Amino acid sequence: MDLILRTEELDGWAVVKVTGDVDVASAPRLRTHVVSVVAGGQPNVVIDLEGVDFLDSTGLGVVIGALKRTRSQGGDLRLVCTRSAVQRLFELTGLDRTIPLHASAGEAIAADAPS
């Protein structure tokens, strides 16, 4: 499935809605998109993975890179993910402890920043 990226503003955050598979072929598009959002002056980003059926290690690398980029600009990264297959990947790698997973963009934005 082709990767579809849409960005919306919500309460001062850029919400990047991702639909499709995030794999070695498509992950660079997500990386470029997030980089452009942050470079455009928005360091607070929510990546909404609700439309993602598959995420591989390259996709995980993009998420980690996005976290570093947003924090280096004084912002933060939050994730929306309730799909069990994708959620399990974050749990197996321990990334869910670094970047907590939320049920919605509103919940992600309202959450306290991780310590």
Side-chain angles (χ1 to χ4, degrees):
M1 173 184 235
D2 285 340
L3 189 68
I4 300 168
L5 304 169
R6 290 189 339 256
T7 302
E8 304 171 350
E9 288 290 321
L10 180 63
D11 295 334
W13 287 69
V15 179
V16 178
K17 294 188 176 202
V18 185
T19 305
D21 294 343
V22 183
D23 56 22
V24 69
S26 63
R29 284 191 50 225
L30 177 57
R31 176 183 296 112
T32 300
H33 189 82
V34 172
V35 166
S36 70
V37 167
V38 176
Q42 179 50 278
N44 292 310
V45 178
V46 175
I47 298 179
D48 184 337
L49 300 172
E50 285 302 283
V52 173
D53 293 316
F54 176 79
L55 181 84
D56 71 4
S57 60
T58 308
L60 283 177
V62 168
V63 171
I64 293 166
L67 175 66
K68 291 178 181 178
R69 183 169 300 278
T70 57
R71 289 188 177 167
S72 74
Q73 298 299 311
D76 201 7
L77 177 74
R78 310 279 170 84
L79 295 178
V80 174
C81 179
T82 61
R83 294 190 141 197
S84 60
V86 177
Q87 201 172 27
R88 181 147 170 77
L89 186 59
F90 282 98
E91 292 166 356
L92 286 171
T93 59
L95 283 173
D96 62 322
R97 292 187 297 272
T98 303
I99 313 170
L101 306 177
H102 302 280
S104 69
E107 177 185 301
I109 291 167
D112 288 335
S115 318

